Amino acid sequence: MPRYNPATIEPTWQSYWERNKTFVSPEMPTGEKLYVLDMFPYPSGSGLHVGHPEGYTATDIVCRYSRMLGKSVLHPMGFDSFGLPAEEYAIKTNTPPRESTEQNIKTFRRQLRMLGFSYDWDRELATTDVEYFRWTQWIFLVLFDTWFDVSQQKGRPIYELPIPDDIKATGNSAISNYRDRFRLAYLSDELVNWCPALGTVLANEEVSDGKSERGDHPVHRIPLRQWMLRITAYADRLENDLVELDWADGIKKLQSDWIGRSTGAEVDFFVGPVDQFEKWKAHRQGSVFPLDTLDQVLRIYTTRPDTLFGATYMVISPEHALVASLTTNGQQVAVDAYLAQTAAKSDRERLDAKKAKTGVFTGSFATNPVNGEQIPIWIADYVLASYGTGAIMAVPAHDERDFEFAKAFSLAIVPVYQPTDNADIDRQKLATGNACYCGEGTAINSGAYDGLSTDEFKEKIIADLVSSGTGRAAVNYKLRDWLFSRQRFWGEPFPILHELDDEGKPTGVLRAVEADQLPVDLPHLRDFKPHGRPEPPLGKAPDDWLYPVIDGVRYKRETNTMPQWAGSCWYYLRFIDPRNSVAFVDPKKERAWMPVDLYIGGAEHAVLHLLYARFWHKVLFDRGHVSTREPFQRLVNQGMILGEMEFTMPDGETKVPAEEIEKLGEVFVLKADPSVRVDSRAHKMSKSRGNVVNPDEVVRDYGADSLRLYEMFMGPLEQSKPWSMNGVSGVRGFLDRAWRMIVDSFSEEMTVSPSICDDRPTPEQLVVLHKTIKAVTHDLDHLSFNTAIARLMEFVNFFTRVDRRPRSVIEPFVLLLSPMAPHIAEELWKLLGHEQTLAYEPWPKFNEQLTVDAMVEIPVQINGKIRAKIEVPRGTDKAELEKIALNDERIKPLLVSPVTRTICVPDRMVNIVIKS
Ligand code: ANZ
């Protein structure tokens, strides 16, 4: 009996598609274009996870559906193969990273093919391909060659940077140093997150609670010279351009919070001898707020310049440049002890609101520019060196952290705002000095500003600070420049050379590798392991790699490598033209295919990857290399797939097997005793929990179509949902039924069932078909795959109950099923007598009129009282309705007196009026 057997059907169709290059996209779109992109995977050693196929199936459905609508679809796949995961795996298994990476890619490729995704495999790429990272290096050189013109809000070629005359006068190396200070890629001494266990520095984003995100190893702060990318220059554009994107609001907000735009003022407090304060003020009066003359001043950033009169102490961060000069002899010992104590803490720990505030007095005072008052200067780690100016004025009456600190160290608290009448606060607590007020109100204790509202005060005081030369409006971002170097082997080498002098010491002059000399390939290294010290492993490369000589000058290659994020910043551009050897992408093709119309991937990339890629894209846009301002027009984040639901008894400990549980409404109870409600939870899949589902096994036991269908049927794409093997088995049952609906189960040969006929469908069958087409079309347009599948199930339920199944109804069903379960659909299509793949068959159309039921049930009233219901064909006219109603066997006996009138509303009701 020819049962549905995915194990034979699926590989057959996969090789058919491959042989016939069914899904190769055209070089240039021929009709309406659709670029659908998946977040490409890291080919880790453990193979594909069931989380991957969730987004990949969703995009695959969209692509298959869109091809049937006649669109030109670009749907590529590749591998994000540089970086820590690949390298860690290589170290663990003691194979060179390139070998293990290629091995892992093989596994991933096999698994992706086994799921029948309609990628154009001719476009496959890996970020570790030398021909790929050649262009990653080329883009780095674009960044290196670009400065950001603030007035134009645009990246421009470095040779267009205006050079001040005094620099010009000093000579070429001064000019070159000056340029280096403005490049989007620059070297800088940074306090970095050094992770000895991973042997590399990590970006702030890769560290949480003082531990590495990857591996949970301790991270310390050490100063190191690093490559940085000036992403902060693009902060405003990254924020503003979110508006035009078709992304979920939640993701936009995450991006915008990460950028963290804050507006306020910078204010200078005089820290020289108090008797010179007036002189200083007079000197500042009327001058443009000095940018660089920080003599004898402590510059702070505040979002509330309107609280200047309430500043009762100042705080500088432990790393602030003025720590040494402001610390008096008497306080030296205490300050040193404090600095030692805070050095090990991470930024997050320092900002943790729950931790008690710590700090130490420097012994010095600052003078408040608005009222000449002397204010003590403290050092405290709740102020971060890396934000604003690394120094604050503290206003304990109106800031929570300052309030706690003032309480802890008995510092003065001076309120400068009367809360608004409707402010939601504990006035009692406020009056007794046990709370601070952070809202808006009416100014008090602020001299001439008393009585102003917060907004008025801010505006006025900023104007006054400007005219007195002591401050100015300022904007700050939480976003930091991107720390772009890693001390690892398995990453893109930087295409940068450091000039050496005759003694072999760096002169400080940098030289970009010429574009025609790219790629800079990784040298062959036997020992690529990190060694726990911050010198990169590439420092152990052979001399002929490490020390090139150009025009008689000896250079040392940059030995840091780029972070894993680099390759994924532009892979979507390379997919458009993956084999181009003269440009990173052909401009004509780029204009034709960009932007990406739909990008689907995990929410864990909501911030960093997307922000980095958008930044690179904007630089490429400014430099004329791409035509769109944004890369990803529409973005959807798939929800997480959790492990199977686990059940525990009310004691919270005893586990109960799923077979002993039943669902009662919204809760789970014991089958044996439904009065016992059990606790249900699904956990993130992890090796340690033992709840990881392996896609290979699911495909082996149920087939790829069942896996695809199940992942889409679990629930809405964007929601997190628990895995259930029973669920997989359920959708497999549906495919079995669909198979039996079309294939003859009793014949030895593989033939269509005798129920498949050339009859004209009945009106009812037509309605079922057209309703299904309409609903599935609508659902696919809205990425609502679970409901589309439910509709297909209803269709099968209906047609398994009839014994004649018109081909003209069954064939469109197979087409509707095909984006979701392509292998079985191709096989059924072939059995129905078609020789070609269905991949480019036109998508079935529905007739709106046929999407409503053919028959309607309408009430028949006598003198306004319902007496019967009649079933009539939809649209039956008044005369016909009247006839049917008057002749109905239930109505006739009730017509005891003459009918005076009938009121008929087609499809709605009949009312017969008789003489009473
Ligand atoms: C005085 C003040 C009074 C402040 C008040 C707030 C409320 P955003 O930009 O919104 O995060 N601040 C400034 N630099 C800091 C640093 N390096 N580390 C820690 N805190 C810093 O918040 C800016 C506010 O955070 C600034 O405004 C400053 O405190 C503090 F009623 O200045 B405010």
Side-chain angles (χ1 to χ4, degrees):
M1 232 171 25
R3 281 168 175 278
Y4 166 47
N5 186 4
T8 56
I9 295 175
E10 292 178 349
T12 308
W13 281 101
Q14 285 154 20
S15 38
Y16 172 97
W17 296 325
E18 211 174 307
R19 236 183 10 258
N20 292 284
K21 294 202 176 281
T22 308
F23 301 115
V24 167
S25 345
E27 289 286 294
M28 293 280 279
T30 47
E32 185 188 339
K33 70 99 182 175
L34 187 78
Y35 184 178
V36 180
L37 184 69
D38 288 308
M39 289 185 185
F40 64 165
Y42 308 118
S44 68
S46 39
L48 215 62
H49 179 275
V50 285
H52 289 116
E54 188 192 13
Y56 297 168
T57 305
T59 50
D60 195 57
I61 294 171
V62 172
C63 290
R64 287 176 176 272
Y65 165 59
S66 303
R67 286 190 200 96
M68 296 170 84
L69 291 175
K71 296 187 188 171
S72 278
V73 173
L74 180 59
H75 188 38
M77 182 42 93
F79 302 98
D80 189 11
S81 37
F82 265 134
L84 278 177
E87 189 169 346
E88 295 278 284
Y89 179 77
I91 291 170
K92 208 169 74 195
T93 56
N94 205 20
T95 37
R98 184 165 291 286
E99 264 175 47
S100 58
T101 298
E102 267 156 25
Q103 203 51 46
N104 294 348
I105 288 180
K106 243 190 184 152
T107 308
F108 268 67
R109 194 190 291 123
R110 175 187 61 75
Q111 290 182 310
L112 290 168
R113 287 188 188 215
M114 141 193 117
L115 294 171
F117 297 132
S118 62
Y119 294 120
D120 176 353
W121 283 107
D122 286 359
R123 292 175 190 256
E124 179 191 328
L125 56 81
T127 51
T128 46
D129 295 341
V130 182
E131 263 311 294
Y132 180 84
F133 72 67
R134 166 187 178 182
W135 296 106
T136 309
Q137 292 171 336
W138 180 85
I139 298 174
F140 176 83
L141 292 180
V142 173
L143 290 153
F144 184 70
D145 185 60
T146 303
W147 65 288
F148 191 79
D149 182 336
V150 177
S151 62
Q152 292 186 16
Q153 278 292 300
K154 189 179 166 199
R156 295 174 56 190
I158 197 74
Y159 69 80
E160 290 178 11
L161 176 73
I163 310 279
D165 289 341
D166 55 333
I167 302 279
K168 264 191 208 145
T170 328
N172 279 345
S173 90
I175 294 177
S176 138
N177 285 338
Y178 185 80
R179 284 192 174 132
D180 289 348
R181 280 175 38 206
F182 286 84
R183 296 177 189 275
L184 293 185
Y186 63 98
L187 275 168
S188 158
D189 289 311
E190 291 288 320
L191 202 58
V192 298
N193 305 302
W194 168 248
C195 177
L198 293 175
T200 188
V201 303
L202 298 169
N204 282 329
E205 299 81 68
E206 294 165 329
V207 183
S208 86
D209 290 333
K211 299 270 178 65
S212 60
E213 288 276 358
R214 204 183 156 70
D216 215 23
H217 305 295
V219 172
H220 311 293
R221 314 267 284 171
I222 60 166
L224 260 190
R225 194 151 180 80
Q226 296 291 305
W227 280 99
M228 305 291 290
L229 296 187
R230 209 179 299 280
I231 189 172
T232 49
Y234 283 80
D236 269 343
R237 276 169 59 188
L238 288 168
E239 161 101 36
N240 297 339
D241 290 351
L242 284 172
V243 183
E244 59 194 68
L245 299 178
D246 189 7
W247 296 12
D249 287 342
I251 300 295
K252 286 190 185 180
K253 181 161 185 311
L254 281 174
Q255 290 242 326
S256 161
D257 288 349
W258 192 267
I259 297 165
R261 188 174 202 272
S262 136
T263 53
E266 281 177 3
V267 185
D268 282 351
F269 282 65
F270 183 65
V271 291
V274 64
D275 56 2
Q276 287 176 34
F277 172 65
E278 288 305 329
K279 208 171 128 209
W280 175 79
K281 261 197 101 171
H283 173 69
R284 279 289 181 99
Q285 185 70 39
S287 66
V288 176
F289 181 73
L291 284 181
D292 290 324
T293 52
L294 284 171
D295 285 0
Q296 298 195 310
V297 300
L298 180 58
R299 178 167 297 168
I300 60 104
Y301 172 68
T302 176
T303 46
R304 296 289 305 270
D306 55 308
T307 59
L308 258 166
F309 289 82
T312 55
Y313 65 101
M314 318 284 291
V315 183
I316 61 177
S317 72
E319 301 83 6
H320 197 280
L322 295 186
V323 165
S325 61
L326 290 176
T327 302
T328 57
N329 289 339
Q331 287 299 98
Q332 194 66 52
V333 174
V335 167
D336 287 345
Y338 184 68
L339 296 183
Q341 174 197 331
T342 61
K345 288 198 214 166
S346 73
D347 286 2
R348 279 200 205 193
E349 237 174 302
R350 287 167 52 161
L351 290 179
D352 189 343
K354 290 195 284 293
K355 298 237 164 84
K357 295 273 171 297
T358 62
V360 63
F361 179 44
T362 59
S364 297
F365 292 82
T367 314
N368 192 333
V370 292
N371 58 11
E373 265 174 37
Q374 288 285 94
I375 316 177
I377 306 174
W378 285 65
I379 301 171
D381 64 8
Y382 77 95
V383 171
L384 299 179
S386 53
Y387 188 66
T389 59
I392 65 161
M393 65 168 189
V395 185
H398 302 291
D399 180 276
E400 206 71 61
R401 291 166 303 174
D402 298 346
F403 178 77
E404 277 175 36
F405 191 87
K407 281 279 182 201
F409 293 96
S410 306
L411 293 157
I413 301 176
V414 177
V416 289
Y417 267 105
Q418 194 92 57
T420 41
D421 289 344
N422 53 6
D424 179 20
I425 37 156
D426 186 337
R427 281 168 206 272
Q428 178 68 26
K429 258 179 137 178
L430 204 60
T432 52
N434 286 313
C436 66
Y437 174 63
C438 303
E440 307 204 336
T442 311
I444 52 169
N445 299 331
S446 297
Y449 301 91
D450 281 356
L452 293 184
S453 73
T454 305
D455 285 344
E456 291 165 340
F457 197 156
K458 277 186 184 168
E459 202 184 314
K460 184 149 188 348
I461 191 132
I462 289 180
D464 292 348
L465 288 167
V466 168
S467 65
S468 65
T470 51
R472 61 163 176 186
V475 176
N476 263 297
Y477 301 91
K478 293 273 176 318
L479 186 68
R480 302 269 73 98
D481 274 347
W482 174 10
L483 189 132
F484 194 67
S485 37
R486 298 291 183 275
Q487 293 68 47
R488 297 294 296 229
F489 172 73
W490 197 226
E492 299 86 347
F494 283 81
I496 293 287
L497 305 172
H498 298 265
E499 188 185 271
L500 300 178
D501 63 15
D502 295 342
E503 288 163 24
K505 290 209 193 73
T507 62
V509 173
L510 300 175
R511 178 180 177 134
V513 174
E514 303 294 328
D516 62 6
Q517 299 296 306
L518 296 178
V520 178
D521 199 355
L522 281 164
H524 187 78
L525 275 197
R526 199 174 294 264
D527 175 16
F528 52 83
K529 294 185 192 68
H531 40 50
R533 290 185 311 276
E535 299 89 43
L538 285 184
K540 292 182 279 186
D543 280 4
D544 60 343
W545 185 90
L546 201 53
Y547 296 105
V549 177
I550 304 170
D551 300 334
V553 182
R554 200 157 171 259
Y555 294 90
K556 182 177 183 193
R557 273 190 207 284
E558 173 62 54
T559 53
N560 282 297
T561 50
M562 298 186 201
Q564 178 167 16
W565 308 100
S568 56
C569 274
W570 74 284
Y571 71 118
Y572 58 93
L573 291 166
R574 190 64 180 171
F575 277 140
I576 292 174
D577 196 11
R579 310 289 168 244
N580 194 329
S581 59
V582 296
F584 78 116
V585 60
D586 178 296
K588 251 194 350 276
K589 294 183 190 167
E590 185 277 328
R591 277 196 303 277
W593 285 110
M594 282 299 286
V596 171
D597 299 287
L598 175 64
Y599 192 20
I600 296 191
E604 67 277 18
H605 295 298
V607 178
L608 298 180
H609 158 60
L610 289 168
L611 207 58
Y612 293 157
R614 293 179 62 219
F615 162 53
W616 278 35
H617 194 86
K618 288 185 182 303
V619 178
L620 290 171
F621 174 76
D622 286 355
R623 296 300 305 272
H625 298 300
V626 297
S627 62
T628 65
R629 292 202 297 180
E630 285 284 334
F632 313 121
Q633 189 52 40
R634 178 164 186 212
L635 171 82
V636 175
N637 289 122
Q638 83 240 17
M640 178 131 63
I641 295 192
L642 305 169
E644 292 252 3
M645 198 87 97
E646 290 170 20
F647 302 98
T648 32
M649 290 293 278
D651 65 7
E653 280 176 25
T654 321
K655 296 234 168 1
V656 196
E659 308 82 75
E660 294 175 21
I661 305 291
E662 67 182 346
K663 200 166 180 192
L664 211 68
E666 283 307 296
V667 297
F668 292 94
V669 297
L670 284 185
K671 274 184 188 159
D673 179 1
S675 72
V676 181
R677 202 173 139 171
V678 292
D679 199 30
S680 63
R681 272 187 68 183
H683 299 272
K684 203 174 153 171
M685 285 192 192
S686 71
K687 279 195 197 129
S688 57
R689 265 194 183 271
N691 61 352
V692 176
V693 177
N694 181 341
D696 281 332
E697 286 166 21
V698 182
V699 171
R700 186 194 62 210
D701 296 344
Y702 299 93
D705 281 338
S706 291
L707 175 64
R708 294 171 56 113
L709 215 53
Y710 173 64
E711 294 221 359
M712 295 299 98
F713 192 54
M714 292 171 86
L717 182 61
E718 290 170 74
Q719 248 169 42
S720 289
K721 38 227 156 188
W723 185 266
S724 150
M725 237 12 135
N726 281 336
V728 185
S729 157
V731 294
R732 168 63 197 261
F734 157 67
L735 291 179
D736 282 325
R737 279 196 301 282
W739 180 265
R740 289 196 301 268
M741 177 176 86
I742 301 174
V743 182
D744 186 353
S745 331
F746 299 102
S747 148
E748 284 303 314
E749 306 260 303
M750 187 87 104
T751 58
V752 288
S753 146
S755 66
I756 304 293
C757 60
D758 289 321
D759 293 0
R760 277 183 56 184
T762 64
E764 194 188 11
Q765 289 175 344
L766 270 183
V767 170
V768 172
L769 173 67
H770 285 260
K771 265 185 158 171
T772 309
I773 301 176
K774 181 179 178 183
V776 172
T777 306
H778 172 273
D779 289 346
L780 295 194
D781 283 338
H782 294 85
L783 307 185
S784 178
F785 307 111
N786 56 330
T787 53
I789 295 168
R791 292 315 188 108
L792 295 170
M793 290 175 169
E794 284 165 21
F795 180 98
V796 170
N797 286 344
F798 180 89
F799 277 95
T800 41
R801 287 199 310 263
V802 305
D803 31 276
R804 291 192 64 77
R805 298 167 190 146
R807 182 179 284 273
S808 62
V809 170
I810 293 301
E811 288 199 346
F813 164 79
V814 172
L815 296 178
L816 294 182
L817 176 66
S818 69
M820 284 149 281
H823 308 88
I824 187 175
E826 290 271 26
E827 188 68 19
L828 294 172
W829 189 246
K830 189 172 132 200
L831 272 176
L832 286 164
H834 301 276
E835 273 160 21
Q836 294 280 322
T837 168
L838 49 62
Y840 294 91
E841 284 298 318
W843 185 251
K845 289 200 173 58
F846 62 92
N847 178 339
E848 185 67 52
Q849 281 169 347
L850 290 175
T851 59
V852 282
D853 285 317
M855 303 297 281
V856 275
E857 197 185 52
I858 57 176
V860 181
Q861 305 172 348
I862 297 178
N863 289 353
K865 247 192 169 165
I866 297 180
R867 296 299 188 172
K869 285 187 174 158
I870 53 173
E871 214 181 41
V872 295
R874 184 177 290 278
T876 305
D877 66 16
K878 286 184 184 176
E880 184 67 17
L881 269 185
E882 181 175 341
K883 212 160 91 195
I884 297 171
L886 293 178
N887 287 315
D888 190 275
E889 292 305 326
R890 290 158 301 179
I891 297 293
K892 266 202 282 189
L894 300 174
L895 301 175
V896 289
S897 52
V899 175
T900 51
R901 195 154 68 95
T902 54
I903 305 154
C904 298
V905 186
D907 299 342
R908 303 308 283 272
M909 52 89 84
V910 176
N911 189 9
I912 304 167
V913 184
I914 58 174
K915 263 218 173 100
S916 47

